[in-house]
Amino acid sequence: MPTLSQYWFQKEFFGGPFDVYNVSYPDGGWAWISDGSKSAATLARVRPDNEVVIDVAPQLNTPAILTTIDGLLTGGASRKSGIMAQGIFWANVPYYSKNPTAHNRSDMLIRVYFDFEINTPWYCSNANGNIAYYLFLYLDGSGHLKGYVDGWSYNYSGGGPFCTGSINSALNNAVPSGMSPLQTILDNALSLLSGSTFSTLYYLPGSGTNSSGDHSENADTDVAIAVLP
Amino acid sequence: MTDTKLFDLVEALLKGEGFTHISKTHSAHSATMSAEKGANRLVMHITDQAELPYHSLQNENVPSPSEIKLSARMPGLSPDASGQILQRAGQGSTTGSGERAKHQR
């Protein structure tokens, strides 16, 4: 039986902490929904039984992938978090303004990111920030699920007063070089579905769970890819 | 005078004055040298522009748009209603009142 998933975002649509309530939902059923708690946005979807869901963050936090990423970080930089993933609207991607027509404005990408720290010489403060890659997934003309690394970004605080230049130089070398191994990781993950074709692709906040009942998750740290035959 | 020549001159001067642990770093728009002499520490920095602590770039090697039949889009939004995106994504909607009854059939 299909599942009705109701998402209640505490701060913003498709972002931050949220609650999801899943319940079996027969064809033609009614849903009466009200919310007495403070929520900034809601989202509801009837999810069919043949929905295929890929929870992204756990796929990325394998020892092999973490080792690959750690190997890219040089120059005193170190990873300070696991790998997180979130759905992000194209207009909110940092390089959107450089080429706005690269995607449709309503397109969503997956932001894969992690926190990092860079130790600096005595005359500068250490830098803390995050490194992000943006994945664009799509169905091709044959209905196969494909994707590519659309771009990258970094931002940090600290590094002053004299070290932002050297930090940027290190990151400008290291971060783009992560696109190739990430593409390989993405290709390997999507190859598991290469034998199937799909008609619909969408993202769900958090793990994409459809298990019955209440769940509290965070859309800033996980996102799920969902496809329908 | 390039910063390299300047740094070489200053480094020679510092060594002559007994400074040790002389280190030099370079970036696209700056160069920094530091040195120590006992409890004294020295740093010299040259830059021709501020370097901001963020950067982003789109991948130039991506598939042709013609290969893309369907992409993931903002849920609940028709493809041509792009003007609503930022408003809806950033502000959400108002909430109701009363006890939360999530689902009834």
Side-chain angles (χ1 to χ4, degrees), chain A residues 4 6 8 12-14 19 21 23-26 29-37 39-41 43 89-92 94-95 98-99 102-108 122-123 136-141 146 148-156 162 164-166 168-169 172 179 199-203 214, chain B residues 23-30 32-36 41-45 50-83 85-86 88-105:
Chain A
L4 173 66
Q6 305 166 31
W8 305 80
E12 61 179 336
F13 182 63
F14 225 105
D19 298 318
Y21 181 72
V23 64
S24 296
Y25 189 76
W30 288 91
W32 179 75
I33 302 170
S34 66
D35 182 18
S37 61
S39 63
L43 175 67
F89 301 104
W90 168 230
N92 293 333
Y95 50 80
K98 298 174 183 173
N99 187 10
H103 301 290
N104 296 303
R105 281 204 71 194
S106 57
D107 277 344
M108 291 188 74
W122 58 265
Y123 49 85
F136 187 81
L137 271 63
Y138 63 95
L139 299 179
D140 68 10
K146 294 186 175 179
Y148 58 84
V149 184
D150 191 67
W152 55 267
S153 72
Y154 65 76
N155 72 78
Y156 61 88
F162 303 131
T164 54
S166 56
N168 289 359
S169 290
N172 288 340
M179 288 198 295
S199 63
T200 303
L201 164 66
Y202 51 93
Y203 297 147
D214 265 313
Chain B
S23 68
K24 292 179 282 189
T25 61
H26 296 265
S27 69
H29 296 283
S30 68
T32 307
M33 179 166 64
S34 66
E36 298 177 17
R41 287 174 158 183
L42 176 147
V43 60
M44 187 175 92
H45 183 73
E51 295 186 277
L52 302 172
Y54 54 84
H55 190 37
S56 64
L57 206 59
Q58 191 165 21
N59 187 0
E60 295 179 351
N61 185 25
V62 299
S64 166
S66 63
E67 187 180 328
I68 299 167
K69 179 184 177 185
L70 181 75
S71 55
R73 297 190 168 178
M74 180 176 179
L77 188 70
S78 61
D80 58 350
S82 57
I85 293 175
L86 291 179
R88 295 186 63 181
Q91 298 178 3
S93 60
T94 57
T95 57
S97 59
E99 284 300 311
R100 180 169 172 171
K102 291 179 177 173
H103 173 263
Q104 287 185 344
R105 187 164 62 85

Side-chain angles (χ1 to χ4, degrees), chain A residues 18-100:
Chain A
F18 71 92
D19 298 318
V20 55
Y21 181 72
N22 296 319
V23 64
S24 296
Y25 189 76
D27 284 345
W30 288 91
W32 179 75
I33 302 170
S34 66
D35 182 18
S37 61
K38 291 183 178 179
S39 63
T42 60
L43 175 67
R45 182 174 178 89
V46 178
R47 303 163 63 188
D49 293 334
N50 59 354
E51 178 188 65
V52 177
V53 174
I54 303 171
D55 185 4
V56 175
Q59 303 290 326
L60 296 170
N61 284 283
T62 66
I65 292 175
L66 294 175
T67 299
T68 298
I69 288 177
D70 291 345
L72 295 170
L73 298 175
T74 57
S78 57
R79 181 174 52 83
K80 290 297 179 183
S81 75
I83 303 174
M84 297 168 278
Q86 67 177 143
I88 184 169
F89 301 104
W90 168 230
N92 293 333
V93 172
Y95 50 80
Y96 162 81
S97 60
K98 298 174 183 173
N99 187 10

Side-chain angles (χ1 to χ4, degrees), chain B residues 3-13 24 33:
Chain B
D3 57 23
T4 301
K5 291 181 179 177
L6 177 61
F7 272 44
D8 289 344
L9 287 173
V10 173
E11 181 178 2
L13 179 64
K24 292 179 282 189
M33 179 166 64

